[in-house]
Amino acid sequence: MINWLEQLREVAPEAAFLQNEPMSRHTTFQVGGPATLFVEPKTVDELTALAGCCRKKEIPHYILGKGSNLLVGDKGYDGVMLHLGSELAACQVDGERIYAEAGISLAQLAKQACAAGLTGLEFAAGIPGSLGGAVTMNAGAYGGEMKDVLTAVQVLTEAGDLIWLTPEQMRMGYRTSAVPEEHYVVTAAEFQLKDGCIETIKERMAELAAMRRAKQPLEYPSAGSTFKRPAGYFAGKLIQDTGLSGFSVGGAQVSEKHCGFVINRGDATASDILSLCREVAQRVREKFGVELEMEIRCLGEF
C-alpha cells in the first residue's frame, strides 16, 4: 500500500488520500470494510492521471460515486477507491441544456434543473446516486430513464483519452450501458430538457417524493431496488409471492414495505446482505423458475 500511495501521489499530489478508509462511510447500505486506499481527485485531469497510473501499474481500482449501488465485503477492498465527489460536481445551464460533472448527485442535478425552469429530470430527484453511476446503469424511476434526456456523455477511455459519446454509442438499455463492457469512466454528461413552470416541476417532484416515502423503506439503509426486473415480471412481486416479505438473515431483511428492497435493519453485515440476496434468488428460482439478477455490484472480500 505504501508503494501505491507513493506512486499515486506522484501523479496527483493535490488529491486527497486516505488509508484503510471504512467503506461503510461511503455506501448507502452503510456496511463494508476498509479500502486500502481512498482517493478523491479534485479535477478530471487528476482523475485521468490516477486512473492511468492504476492501469499502468496494475493496481486494482474502482470508480466510486455515492455508493448507492455497491456492496463492499466486510473484509474490505484491497485496492484503490477513486471517489468522484463534490470536487467533480460542477453544473452549468445553457438555455434548455445542462452540462454536469459525474460527481453531482441526481437530487442536486434535478434541483438545479428545477431552479432553471427546466422539466425532464423530475424522475431522478429521489434516486440516491451520482450522475456518473446513473449514466453507467441508465438509472430510471417512475417512467423516466437517463437515456430519455441525455444528448452526450463524456468518458475516460482505457487509453486515457477523454471523448464525447452519443446515447446510441453508449448503448443504453435497461439498467445497462457500454461503460462496464468498454471499461469507460463517466466524467460528465449533457442533457436536453424543456422549458417548464417551476411550480409545476416542484409539485411533480414533491408528488414523486411522497410516492417514494409511501412505498419504499427510506427509513432504513439500502441500495434501492436490489434486483433487476426480469422480463415479464416484477422482482418485488415474485419475492412477495414466494412468501419472503420480512425474511431476514442476521441484520439484513427483505423489506415488508417493498419486497424489491433489501434493507439494513441497523446491525447487518455485508455477508448478511449477500447471503440474504442469494437465498431470495434461490427460492424464487425454485418456486417460479425465474432468475433474479442483482442490480447491486459486489466488491471486495466477504
Side-chain angles (χ1 to χ4, degrees):
M1 177 185 64
I2 294 175
N3 193 34
W4 291 354
L5 182 60
E6 291 173 352
Q7 290 171 335
L8 294 175
R9 270 192 172 148
E10 188 174 330
V11 300
E14 299 302 317
F17 292 85
L18 294 172
Q19 299 180 48
N20 296 316
E21 176 68 3
M23 291 310 299
S24 57
R25 298 175 181 172
H26 303 282
T27 61
T28 56
F29 261 132
Q30 297 180 15
V31 300
T36 305
L37 201 56
F38 187 92
V39 188
E40 290 188 317
K42 292 182 170 60
T43 66
V44 173
D45 286 345
E46 284 187 354
L47 171 63
T48 302
L50 289 163
C53 182
C54 286
R55 285 192 295 267
K56 183 178 179 181
K57 305 292 186 181
E58 297 185 342
I59 301 171
H61 60 287
Y62 184 83
I63 307 298
L64 177 71
K66 297 296 182 185
S68 60
N69 217 44
L70 183 65
L71 180 63
V72 179
D74 300 306
K75 296 180 182 178
Y77 175 60
D78 188 16
V80 177
M81 282 285 180
L82 296 177
H83 182 223
L84 309 190
S86 59
E87 297 286 351
L88 291 170
C91 182
Q92 299 171 356
V93 179
D94 182 11
E96 294 183 347
R97 287 181 177 254
I98 287 185
Y99 163 87
E101 290 184 321
I104 194 171
S105 70
L106 291 188
Q108 185 61 30
L109 179 63
K111 184 178 179 181
Q112 296 264 26
C114 177
L118 297 177
T119 182
L121 277 170
E122 290 89 333
F123 76 90
I127 299 176
S130 65
L131 173 59
V135 171
T136 296
M137 67 173 292
N138 186 28
Y142 298 107
E145 292 182 307
M146 298 305 289
K147 70 179 179 62
D148 298 335
V149 287
L150 276 171
T151 56
V153 179
Q154 187 187 56
V155 299
L156 175 64
T157 70
E158 275 197 298
D161 298 318
L162 283 171
I163 60 174
W164 284 93
L165 300 174
T166 65
E168 291 74 25
Q169 291 172 316
M170 287 286 292
R171 304 195 297 276
M172 302 184 80
Y174 176 68
R175 302 299 176 265
T176 186
S177 73
V179 173
E181 185 179 339
E182 303 294 341
H183 304 289
Y184 293 147
V185 177
V186 175
T187 55
E190 286 186 348
F191 300 87
Q192 177 67 52
L193 304 177
K194 295 179 180 179
D195 281 328
C197 170
I198 291 178
E199 289 307 313
T200 302
I201 295 168
K202 285 182 178 178
E203 287 173 6
R204 179 56 176 163
M205 288 168 63
E207 178 187 352
L208 293 181
M211 290 170 64
R212 282 190 171 90
R213 286 193 298 272
K215 297 180 179 181
Q216 299 178 8
L218 303 182
E219 62 272 29
Y220 293 103
S222 78
S225 295
T226 306
F227 298 96
K228 294 182 180 180
R229 186 176 65 230
Y233 300 91
F234 290 98
K237 182 70 162 55
L238 287 169
I239 295 167
Q240 182 173 347
D241 291 348
T242 306
L244 293 173
S245 177
F247 175 70
S248 63
V249 172
Q253 184 184 59
V254 174
S255 169
E256 295 172 296
K257 198 172 187 179
H258 190 316
C259 288
F261 285 64
V262 169
I263 59 173
N264 176 359
R265 293 278 302 184
D267 59 349
T269 64
S271 295
D272 289 342
I273 294 167
L274 183 58
S275 296
L276 175 61
C277 290
R278 287 174 172 169
E279 183 67 21
V280 166
Q282 180 181 330
R283 294 198 190 184
V284 168
R285 185 188 312 115
E286 290 172 352
K287 187 172 180 65
F288 294 105
V290 178
E291 293 288 340
L292 289 183
E293 181 184 353
M294 290 175 65
E295 277 193 18
I296 302 162
R297 171 77 182 271
C298 295
L299 189 69
E301 189 177 352
F302 286 81

